[in-house]
Amino acid sequence: MAQGVRSLSKKESRLVMSHMYVAFISLFIGATCGLLQTLERSGHFQLPAGIGYYQILTIHGVILGLVLTTFFILGFMLSAQSKTTGGYNKTERTLAWIAFWLMLAGTIMAATMILLNEATVLFTFYAPLQAHVIFYIGLALVIVGTWFDGFVIFKRHARFRKENPGERTPLLSYMAVITMLMWQIASLGVAITVIFQMIPWALGWTETMNILLSRTLFWYFGHPLVYFWLLPAYMMWYAIVPKIIGGKIFSDSLARFTFILLLLFSIPVGFHHQLTEPGIDPFWKFIQVILTMIVVIPSMMTAFSMFATFEARGRELGAKGMFGWLKKMPWGDARFLAPFIGMLFFIPGGAGGIVNASNQMNQVVHNTIWVTGHFHLTVATTVMLTFFGAAYWLVPSLTGRTYTKSINKLAIAQTILWTVGMTIMSTAMHIQGLLGGPRRSAFSTYAGNEDTAAWGAYQIAQAVGGSILFLGMVVMIIIFINLAFFAPKGEEEYPIAEVSDKAIAPPKVFENWKLWTAVTLALVLFAYTIPLIDIIQSAPPGAKGFKLW
Ligand code: HAS
């Protein structure tokens, strides 16, 4: 039998593919729950066997938002770093496996509790909703697991610099370091609330907790969490999509600078999720709204960079005018089409984010299903379509198989299904949100109320969109299984673009990790110290001094 050629060593391919199996099993479970939710909200379907709406919603959010993303992202980043730096040594691989098993054990613990209806607390697990302690311990294990991966990524990058003095570090490894640095700093917040507040409370050691503090620590982590989803998609846009279209990276320095800005400004902005929350001084909300508007800039730089890449390639192929490049792109290749549609969806997704962050407008949309529409455009389309596009080359390149024309056709169909389904569902969510429709709310909670009659049509539209998305998910799973186990053996390229000859070399200061870590921490301290002191000192019931509970 013909042997396939893998893009990474067999050991590393196995490591990365283990992450991919968990990610795609999660896609199946989570998206199935998503379909059930939209059907139940349409008012024409009731969940069987006494299963509760909020239980399904918790599985959907945790499995897709936390598990699928984390496993896919870490798998992808390990593969990209290994590919561009020359591979991991035994210690690094062992640490990455420890990370994988810790995350998997944590996931199984948390998922079991949700399935037993002992952790119906949604993906944000806000107190006073309380879960079984095993759920929180599971979450803590997942986070600790990701820290191990972070150390592997830092260590490998440092080893590359030591072994290749004076040489430019690989762009994808650099971006992975920034992503994990942001993640390690941000996840401290959620780790603190889980370990010091939630676990003692769930064990009954403490009767109450400072809820505002726990929500603030959660959102200190929650916004960088959404950038933890976005940055790997940006890695693919900057370094991989140019290769797929036959072009080059427009500017290595611009890409690195964008990532530095994302590191600096994605953490001190959590209050934009708490704009309607009493107990936080409006001045500090205002400061964090300004910082939120600043973190929009690196996304604008990314848009600019992508346009430049497309235009430069288009002109090489003879395109004229500002949008002539559109005719020259490989539309028939799903490895390009999927991430490109992801980019397109980020235009309304990002605009919606700016609406959310604008204090007055936030009062209109907060806690409405508009917000759900926003994150289905951003994470569920921009990020997911980019990840699907990557899976089409990543999986066969790791399994020593090929991405055939027939699979590509199926992948185009999946991209179209996802685009159509998400357009219908998220548009309906945005409109229903503007009409005041609440998010996270089962049909039964407002059925029969005359004031809410206008929402009905939008909920049916969401069920139609959700059903199309479900089909898209099934097609994606078929493609994944095919690429992992059945596609013809061969060699599939791991596409990484070269930097354009016209681009200048990045300045040395970009590798000054002490500086960037210090500036990040300084911004965090600036944005959070005084409000946190306030939140702790003014904790009810009239407590003075340090009060976690
Ligand atoms: Fe958000 C809530 C603000 C981006 C995810 N967001 C959420 C929640 C999630 C989420 C999950 O300020 C709900 C959390 C919960 O459960 O409560 N968000 C923003 C802002 C941005 C933003 C300012 N969000 C994201 C991304 C996410 C995500 C990215 C996931 C991946 N978000 C908020 C706020 C809330 C919020 C408030 C709280 C709402 C509330 O009240 O609860 C910005 O980062 C957006 C910047 C993006 C841009 C777009 C740049 C466009 C590009 C595409 C270029 C296209 C090309 C193709 C090249 C400015 C890069 C062009 C081709 C042609 C042919 C034209």
Side-chain angles (χ1 to χ4, degrees):
M1 211 172 85
Q3 278 296 311
V5 180
R6 297 169 203 266
S7 60
L8 298 181
S9 72
K10 198 169 175 186
K11 285 183 178 156
E12 267 154 38
S13 298
R14 201 180 300 149
L15 173 68
V16 177
M17 279 306 290
S18 304
H19 289 76
M20 295 299 145
Y21 296 133
V22 180
F24 282 90
I25 292 171
S26 304
L27 175 68
F28 178 74
I29 300 172
T32 306
C33 292
L35 172 70
L36 295 177
Q37 281 155 232
T38 56
L39 292 179
E40 140 63 68
R41 280 172 54 81
S42 72
H44 295 282
F45 169 85
Q46 263 199 329
L47 290 165
I51 302 172
Y53 175 80
Y54 299 99
Q55 190 182 359
I56 294 283
L57 182 56
T58 305
I59 302 177
H60 178 73
V62 171
I63 292 289
L64 292 181
L66 304 178
V67 180
L68 156 67
T69 47
T70 305
F71 278 86
F72 189 95
I73 287 167
L74 290 170
F76 164 70
M77 288 202 302
L78 290 172
S79 78
Q81 190 180 45
S82 165
K83 182 77 195 158
T84 53
T85 54
Y88 294 117
N89 62 24
K90 197 160 175 248
T91 318
E92 289 153 357
R93 259 196 322 272
T94 309
L95 286 172
W97 273 114
I98 294 175
F100 174 80
W101 288 113
L102 279 174
M103 294 191 307
L104 189 62
T107 299
I108 293 171
M109 285 163 77
T112 309
M113 287 303 119
I114 306 174
L115 291 174
L116 293 174
N117 203 12
E118 292 283 343
T120 299
V121 290
L122 310 185
F123 90 100
T124 39
F125 50 92
Y126 289 151
L129 291 177
Q130 193 181 52
H132 194 285
V133 69
I134 292 180
F135 173 82
Y136 299 119
I137 296 175
L139 288 182
L141 282 182
V142 173
I143 293 164
V144 173
T146 62
W147 290 346
F148 274 80
D149 269 335
F151 290 124
V152 170
I153 287 173
F154 299 156
K155 186 171 172 303
R156 184 63 189 96
H157 193 78
R159 190 156 70 81
F160 182 92
R161 290 180 64 197
K162 204 166 153 206
E163 288 167 359
N164 304 276
E167 210 177 291
R168 185 190 304 184
T169 55
L171 178 60
L172 282 168
S173 174
Y174 182 89
M175 291 168 150
V177 171
I178 294 240
T179 308
M180 288 318 286
L181 189 55
M182 177 193 73
W183 175 258
Q184 312 285 74
I185 297 173
S187 54
L188 284 174
V190 73
I192 292 172
T193 179
V194 168
I195 295 169
F196 294 106
Q197 292 190 290
M198 308 248 172
I199 293 181
W201 176 59
L203 284 170
W205 295 347
T206 53
E207 271 181 25
T208 60
M209 76 153 84
N210 183 338
I211 286 186
L212 183 56
L213 177 63
S214 85
R215 286 169 66 105
T216 303
L217 288 169
F218 180 85
W219 284 120
Y220 161 84
F221 152 83
H223 197 75
L225 168 70
V226 315
Y227 280 91
F228 176 68
W229 302 332
L230 183 69
L231 265 52
Y234 277 6
M235 288 168 73
M236 296 165 194
W237 294 3
Y238 274 108
I240 284 158
V241 169
K243 175 78 176 181
I244 290 173
I245 63 169
K248 294 202 167 158
I249 299 172
F250 169 65
S251 161
D252 177 297
S253 308
L254 183 73
R256 288 178 201 241
F257 186 48
T258 303
F259 269 60
I260 291 176
L261 291 180
L262 286 162
L263 166 68
L264 301 185
F265 293 103
S266 27
I267 308 176
V269 296
F271 284 169
H272 73 223
H273 291 264
Q274 298 175 280
L275 291 175
T276 56
E277 210 153 301
I280 302 171
D281 191 314
F283 172 77
W284 292 104
K285 288 182 181 171
F286 173 67
I287 294 285
Q288 293 209 14
V289 162
I290 293 179
L291 293 170
T292 304
M293 294 305 170
I294 296 179
V295 79
V296 168
I297 294 171
S299 284
M300 297 295 199
M301 287 161 60
T302 305
F304 169 80
S305 213
M306 296 320 297
F307 275 116
T309 304
F310 296 147
E311 192 182 329
R313 178 61 183 151
R315 285 188 191 277
E316 249 175 42
L317 297 174
K320 301 257 175 329
M322 202 191 295
F323 286 104
W325 55 268
L326 277 168
K327 289 193 211 126
K328 304 285 178 188
M329 293 294 117
W331 299 110
D333 184 346
R335 298 171 314 155
F336 165 74
L337 183 69
F340 184 86
I341 293 184
M343 293 174 202
L344 269 186
F345 270 64
F346 202 32
I347 298 172
I354 296 170
V355 167
N356 297 346
S358 310
N359 182 49
Q360 285 85 341
M361 285 194 270
N362 185 271
Q363 315 299 309
V364 177
V365 297
H366 181 67
N367 269 345
T368 71
I369 199 163
W370 160 286
V371 175
T372 319
H374 161 70
F375 68 70
H376 279 85
L377 284 182
T378 47
V379 64
T381 314
T382 300
V383 171
M384 280 325 295
L385 273 183
T386 303
F387 288 0
F388 290 166
Y392 301 146
W393 52 261
L394 180 62
V395 175
S397 93
L398 293 172
T399 53
R401 296 179 184 274
T402 48
Y403 178 62
T404 58
K405 280 191 178 148
S406 53
I407 303 178
N408 183 51
K409 275 191 193 144
L410 211 53
I412 298 266
Q414 130 56 239
T415 309
I416 294 170
L417 283 171
W418 206 262
T419 307
V420 173
M422 206 56 95
T423 305
I424 299 174
M425 191 178 84
S426 78
T427 308
M429 286 173 164
H430 277 91
I431 300 176
Q432 194 193 342
L434 289 179
L435 295 174
R439 68 185 280 202
R440 299 178 150 177
S441 167
F443 178 77
S444 50
T445 49
Y446 49 82
N449 181 340
E450 275 178 27
D451 297 334
T452 61
W455 299 344
Y458 299 104
Q459 289 179 186
I460 290 174
Q462 286 159 36
V464 172
S467 307
I468 300 172
L469 282 165
F470 178 77
L471 281 181
M473 178 277 285
V474 172
V475 175
M476 187 62 228
I477 297 289
I478 293 171
I479 297 173
F480 176 76
I481 294 176
N482 196 298
L483 292 174
F485 304 108
F486 301 109
K489 290 267 185 191
E491 184 171 5
E492 190 62 47
E493 186 191 20
Y494 195 118
I496 298 173
E498 286 170 25
V499 179
S500 157
D501 328 322
K502 292 180 195 133
I504 51 161
K508 284 211 169 64
V509 67
F510 283 6
E511 290 279 351
N512 188 340
W513 296 105
K514 282 190 190 135
L515 173 71
W516 303 123
T517 310
V519 179
T520 308
L521 292 177
L523 278 166
V524 166
L525 289 176
F526 163 65
Y528 273 106
T529 308
I530 296 177
L532 271 183
I533 292 175
D534 231 22
I535 290 169
I536 292 169
Q537 285 194 338
S538 318
K544 287 273 175 271
F546 190 78
K547 187 142 174 78
L548 282 176
W549 298 285

